[in-house]
C-alpha cells in the first residue's frame, strides 16, 4: 500500500505523453495549456461506473482502454484533435495490480493519439472513473448535431451490434464456456477504436455528426431533433459483422435490431451531401476505414415529430419498436 | 422519475450562466469554447465521494456548494479567472429533491463567479461528484508551487481550523445537540469561499501559491519541495477564529495544531517578497479579505530535506508531530 501521491507518481507520471502545448502538467493546483491561435477548445466528460458500464471484476486493461476510448470518441464526433486529458479515479482500495492494468489500457491509447494526462484526482470509494478530455479544432470547423441537411446521406463507421453481443457474452460468462467467437465479441465490446483520424480528415465534407453510445437509432434522434429533420434507414444497409451473424445463427432480423440499438459502439454516425460521396469514400479507403450509407435525411413529415426515423426493409416499411440506452429510464 | 436527458434539461440547463466565449454549450458531443489571445487555460479536476468527502445524508445544497467551491479554489491558487465547468454526477437513483438542492448550491456559486456549465454526464451508481473546472490567465502570470524564494513571507487567507472542527460537529451529530456555535462551525466546513478575486488581484505581487485542502502544514510541504526551500512558522501567528477557541474551551495549543492540519479549508497559502507587504495588505483591505503572515521561507538546512517546516512558539522551537490528510495512507 502506498500513499495517494506515490500512486500518481508511480503509475501516471512515468508513462505520460509529453506535449509542447502543456506549459504546466501534473503536480500543481491546475495544469496550464496553450491553445493555438484561431482554434477552439472541444471539451467532454464521461463517467464509467463499475456495475453500470463494466463489471467490477473486468480486466483492468480493458477498463482503462474503454474509459479513454469513449471520451476520445466524443472528440472524434466533433472532428477535433485530442490533446489533453484529466482522470478522476475512485478506488475501493489502493490496488497496485489493478492500477498497473488500468494504466496499460489507458496509456497505450493515450500514446497512440498523443494525449497528455494533465491532472486528476484519486479518491477512496466505489470503483468509478471520470475522464475529461480536451481537443482543439480550427474555429468554425466542428461537426455539430444541428447541421444535418435534407437530402444528406446518413453514414456510420465500422460494424454495429458487436458491442451489445459482446456485453451479452460478458454477462453470461458464468454459465457458458467461451469459444473463439465469444472471445472476439467480448473484445469488441471493450476495445473500440475512436474514429479520430477519419473525422478530422472528412469533417470539411460532412454536415452533422455524433458518436454511437446509446444505439444508432437513439443517437441519430439527437441529430434529427437538433436539425429539425427526419430520416429513413434501410436496415439492409446496416453494417453487420460475419461474427454477429454467426453468433445469432443467421437470424438477420435479430442482428439488424441489435445493430440499431447496440450502445457503446463508439463508431460515428454522420451526414453529408450526396455530392461528397466519392471524396468521403476515397478518404475512408486511404485510412482503411469501413463506412456505410444506411439512410437519408428527409424533411419532417407534415405535423410529424422532427426526430422520427422510418425503418425500411428495402421498400417495405417496418414497424419495429426499439428503445435506446438511458440509465435512469431503465428503472421505470 | 424522469429520464437522464430530462434531468439535465430540467435542473442544469435552466439555471445556467451564459458566457460569450462558449461557442457551443450543453447538448452536443463536446462543448466548444474560445480562449482569448495571449491567455493560457488552467484546468483542474476533483472528486467528492459520499462517505469520504461528505456524508450521504448531508444537505444537498451544501454538497453542491462544496463540490464547486473546492474546484474554484484550485483555480484561485493559480490566480486564474474561472470560466467553464463540467459536472459528472453519479446518483444511486434519480432523486429530484436531492438534485434541486444540489443545483441550488452549485448554481448560486457558479453565478457568483460567472462560470458556465458546459457539459457533463449523469450516471447510475454510488453517490459521487467529479467536477472539472477551467479558467483563463494571461500567459506567464500563473502562481505555481515551485516559485517560492528564500526570505519570502508565508501568508494564509481567512481562518484555519474551523473546517476540521465543523467536520467533528458533523460526525458527532448523532450524539450531541447542536447549539449556535456548532451550527456555525458546521456551516464553515461546507461553505468555504474560494479566494478567486483576491488571487487575481495580488498574483503580480506573489511568488508561489496553493490552496489548503490537506492542512497547511502538509500543503506548504508541496511548495517547499517544488521550490527546494524550507520554512519556519510561528504558531502564534496562525489565524484562529474566536468560535474555534470557544469550541475547544480556550485550549490554544489544540487550536493551533488544528489550524496546521485542518483540511478542506480552501483558503490560500502563498509566498511573497517582504517588499510587497504593504501593497498586498492594501488590496486585501479593499476586498475585505483577512490575510495573515504566518512564517518565512528559509534556505534548506545543510544536508536537510527541502520540504521541512520548523514550528516556533515565538522564539521557542516546537517538536509537534503532525500528519496531513491523504485518503489511502489512512488505511495503513
Amino acid at each position: 500500500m502506498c500513499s495517494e501521491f506515490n500512486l500518481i507518481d508511480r503509475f501516471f507520471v512515468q508513462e505520460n505523453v509529453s506535449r509542447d502545448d502543456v506549459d504546466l502538467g501534473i503536480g500543481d493546483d491546475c495544469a496550464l495549456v496553450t491553445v493555438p491561435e484561431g482554434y477552439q477548445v472541444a471539451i467532454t466528460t464521461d463517467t464509467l461506473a463499475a456495475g453500470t458500464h463494466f463489471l467490477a471484476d473486468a480486466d483492468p486493461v480493458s477498463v482503462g482502454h474503454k474509459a479513454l476510448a469513449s471520451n476520445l470518441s466524443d472528440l472524434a464526433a466533433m472532428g477535433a484533435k485530442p490533446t489533453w486529458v484529466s482522470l478522476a479515479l475512485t478506488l475501493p482500495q489502493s490496488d497496485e495490480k489493478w492500477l498497473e492494468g488500468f494504466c496499460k489500457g489507458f496509456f497505450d491509447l493515450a500514446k497512440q493519439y498523443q494525449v497528455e494526462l494533465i491532472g486528476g484526482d484519486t479518491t477512496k470509494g466505489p470503483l468509478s472513473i471520470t475522464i475529461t478530455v480536451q481537443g482543439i479544432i480550427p474555429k468554425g470547423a466542428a461537426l455539430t448535431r444541428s447541421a444535418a441537411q435534407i437530402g444528406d446521406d446518413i453514414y456510420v463507421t465500422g460494424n454495429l451490434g458487436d458491442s451489445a453481443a459482446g456485453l451479452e457474452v460478458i454477462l453470461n460468462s458464468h454459465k457458458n464456456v467461451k469459444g473463439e467467437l465469444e472471445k472476439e465479441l467480448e473484445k469488441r465490446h471493450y476495445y473500440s477504436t475512436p474514429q479520430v483520424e477519419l473525422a478530422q480528415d472528412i469533417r470539411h465534407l460532412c454536415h452533422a455528426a455524433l458518436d454511437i453510445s446509446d444505439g444508432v437509432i437513439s443517437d441519430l434522434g439527437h441529430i434529427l431533433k437538433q436539425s429539425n429533420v427526419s430520416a429513413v434507414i434501410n436496415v439492409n444497409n446496416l453494417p453487420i459483422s460475419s461474427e454477429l451473424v454467426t453468433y445469432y445463427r443467421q437470424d438477420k432480423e435479430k442482428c439488424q435490431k441489435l445493430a440499431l440499438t447496440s450502445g457503446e459502439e463508439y463508431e460515428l454516425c454522420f451526414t453529408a451531401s450526396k455530392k461528397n460521396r466519392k471524396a468521403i469514400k476515397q478518404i475512408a479507403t486511404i485510412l482503411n476505414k469501413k463506412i456505410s450509407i444506411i439512410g437519408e435525411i428527409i424533411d419532417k413529415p407534415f405535423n410529424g415529430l422532427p426526430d422520427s426515423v422510418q425503418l425500411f426493409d428495402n421498400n417495405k416499411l417496418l414497424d419495429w419498436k426499439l428503445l435506446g440506452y438511458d440509465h435512469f429510464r431503465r428503472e421505470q
Side-chain angles (χ1 to χ4, degrees), chain A residues 36-50:
Chain A
E37 216 177 298
Y39 279 70
Q40 289 167 300
V41 184
I43 306 149
T44 182
T45 295
D46 264 319
T47 298
L48 270 72

Side-chain angles (χ1 to χ4, degrees), chain A residues 7-19:
Chain A
L7 278 184
I8 293 170
D9 269 353
R10 177 147 168 223
F11 289 102
F12 298 121
V13 176
Q14 283 174 20
E15 287 295 310
N16 208 358
V17 167
S18 177
R19 291 180 60 90

Side-chain angles (χ1 to χ4, degrees), chain A residues 233-265:
Chain A
I233 288 177
N234 184 344
V235 298
N236 288 296
N237 294 347
L238 290 164
I240 291 167
S241 71
S242 58
E243 289 81 2
L244 194 70
V245 175
T246 307
Y247 184 71
Y248 287 114
R249 299 160 198 270
Q250 318 300 321
D251 183 343
K252 196 172 81 169
E253 187 174 315
K254 167 95 182 169
C255 291
Q256 289 168 340
K257 285 183 175 171
L258 213 63
L260 289 165
T261 55
S262 173
E264 302 182 341
E265 290 283 352

Side-chain angles (χ1 to χ4, degrees), chain A residues 6 28 31 35-36 41 68 75 82-83 85 100 124 133 152 159 181 185 204 206-207 247 262 268 287 297 302 311 314:
Chain A
N6 288 342
D28 215 302
V35 179
V41 184
L68 183 54
L75 286 179
T83 48
V85 60
E100 202 174 320
K124 189 168 153 54
V133 73
D152 275 1
N159 290 317
L181 177 66
L185 290 168
H204 63 291
C206 303
H207 288 143
Y247 184 71
S262 173
L268 294 186
L287 293 175
I297 297 293
F302 180 69
L311 299 176
N314 292 330

Side-chain angles (χ1 to χ4, degrees), chain A residues 182-199:
Chain A
E182 286 76 14
K183 284 180 189 163
E184 177 60 29
L185 290 168
E186 180 176 357
K187 195 175 129 196
R188 289 185 191 176
H189 174 78
Y190 281 122
Y191 290 91
S192 64
T193 302
Q195 299 294 342
V196 166
E197 301 92 346
L198 179 70

